[in-house]
Amino acid sequence: QVQLQQSGAELAKPGSSVKISCKASGYTFTSYDISWIKQTTGQGLEYIGYINTGSGGTYYNEKFKGKATLTVDKSSSTAFMQLSSLTPEDTAVYYCARGSGSWGQGVMVTVSS
Amino acid sequence: DVLMTQTPVSLPVSLGGQVSISCRSSQSLVHSDGNTYLHWYLQKPGQSPQLLIYRVSNRFSGVPDRFSGSGSGTDFTLKISRVEPEDLGVYYCLQSTHFPLTFGSGTKLEIK
């Protein structure tokens, strides 16, 4: 069955970067895009963007351009999202998703000094 | 961006009862391919959102027929009949017709 296993929680300092992962299994990795979604209590669910896992092509929500960088490693069926220049507003749970139906378990990123 | 207005914010219900959740979009969700990409999710406490309904009215695999979706254009409804304890949580609508994808703000289904 389709599974998306995300990396563990992150605690980061303001101004730093984090890179979280999303390892896919149960299907042909390069046949589906991987999307990334941010969830906060205040802003709800926000769409960050997606990566074409075959070509590496990306789409970013304008709001997250310069904040998020999406990459893939086809050899390990893993998608990555790097968040840079972190501020407390980046504190959130981040999900990866394949299409509409399969989501990872989420990664809590906490930005605090 | 397409604004998704979801109501109500909170929805008290008696077990066994029936409820409806509304989701309205700021522009038509009919795609140029003729499909309407409006989906419904349930997020239970501590879990990821799980897909219930895709493309307005199609139940995802394993979703009971107590859940039904309807609507067109800019106006959509999720109906839940014979509410069970496992149905409690926050419901979200999502449109994927237009980029960026946008979500409703959520409806919390709770016991009356």
Side-chain angles (χ1 to χ4, degrees):
Chain A
Q1 73 281 20
V2 175
Q3 285 196 328
L4 299 173
Q5 183 64 38
Q6 297 187 241
S7 48
E10 299 271 2
L11 174 59
K13 294 202 182 304
S16 68
S17 298
V18 294
K19 190 172 186 178
I20 60 181
S21 65
C22 172
K23 182 172 175 58
S25 60
Y27 71 98
T28 301
F29 180 66
T30 52
S31 295
Y32 296 86
D33 300 335
I34 291 287
S35 293
W36 291 86
I37 298 102
K38 176 183 182 182
Q39 184 170 34
T40 59
T41 305
Q43 298 296 316
L45 291 159
E46 297 179 278
Y47 186 75
I48 296 171
Y50 75 85
I51 186 164
N52 181 309
T53 52
S55 67
T58 53
Y59 162 85
Y60 295 96
N61 183 342
E62 197 68 33
K63 180 177 179 179
F64 292 94
K65 285 182 178 177
K67 172 61 63 179
T69 303
L70 306 181
T71 56
V72 292
D73 176 6
K74 287 188 275 189
S75 68
S76 63
S77 299
T78 302
F80 300 91
M81 178 172 67
Q82 178 162 317
L83 299 169
S84 61
S85 303
L86 291 168
T87 72
E89 287 67 44
D90 296 317
T91 294
V93 176
Y94 292 88
Y95 295 99
C96 61
R98 189 205 83 163
S100 300
S102 301
W103 290 49
Q105 82 276 22
V107 176
M108 180 72 218
V109 174
T110 303
V111 182
S112 173
S113 55
Chain B
D1 298 1
V2 177
L3 177 64
M4 303 298 288
T5 302
Q6 193 176 332
T7 56
V9 172
S10 175
L11 192 48
V13 63
S14 300
L15 295 177
Q18 177 174 296
V19 295
S20 292
I21 300 170
S22 170
C23 185
R24 290 196 166 105
S25 57
S26 60
Q27 56 185 275
S28 173
L29 299 186
V30 180
H31 193 275
S32 56
D33 65 8
N35 290 311
T36 300
Y37 295 95
L38 185 284
H39 322 290
W40 291 96
Y41 290 83
L42 165 59
Q43 186 173 31
K44 299 180 182 180
Q47 296 186 19
S48 310
Q50 57 190 74
L51 181 64
L52 298 173
I53 302 286
Y54 64 95
R55 280 190 276 121
V56 181
S57 59
N58 299 279
R59 276 186 298 277
F60 191 56
S61 175
V63 175
D65 60 7
R66 300 183 293 100
F67 293 88
S68 62
S70 63
S72 62
T74 62
D75 201 346
F76 304 91
T77 301
L78 175 70
K79 190 172 294 184
I80 313 167
S81 58
R82 306 184 304 279
V83 171
E84 298 186 5
E86 66 201 45
D87 301 337
L88 302 181
V90 181
Y91 289 80
Y92 295 96
C93 57
L94 162 68
Q95 70 80 22
S96 60
T97 296
H98 304 284
F99 278 92
L101 280 61
T102 47
F103 293 84
S105 52
T107 296
K108 186 172 185 179
L109 190 67
E110 49 197 8
I111 295 295
K112 191 182 291 183

